[in-house]
Amino acid sequence: APDVALTALHTTLGPQHLTYYEHTHGKTIPYHPKGILLPNTCPHNGFRFAAQFAFQDGSHATAHTTVRCPARK
């Protein structure tokens, strides 16, 4: 295969456009967390991941995988 160089990387973990709401002094205040939200329990069927690739020649590729939840102790 030809050589490759990674020139840009963008990642998103957790749901997009996540907003929490806090009620303070009779007002509802929206909050957009900047960190990674992790669930209290493992999602049904595990954690899903996807990657999209764009190449200099204009072609594209997509990859999907699921990481199973760790076994309960």
Side-chain angles (χ1 to χ4, degrees), residues 6-45:
L6 181 64
T7 60
L9 176 66
H10 174 79
T11 63
T12 302
L13 296 175
Q16 292 182 7
H17 311 295
L18 177 66
T19 304
Y20 288 111
Y21 295 93
E22 179 180 350
H23 298 280
T24 304
H25 304 291
K27 295 182 180 181
T28 302
I29 301 170
Y31 170 71
H32 304 279
K34 302 284 185 200
I36 299 170
L37 178 69
L38 296 176
N40 293 331
T41 60
C42 191
H44 182 68
N45 294 329

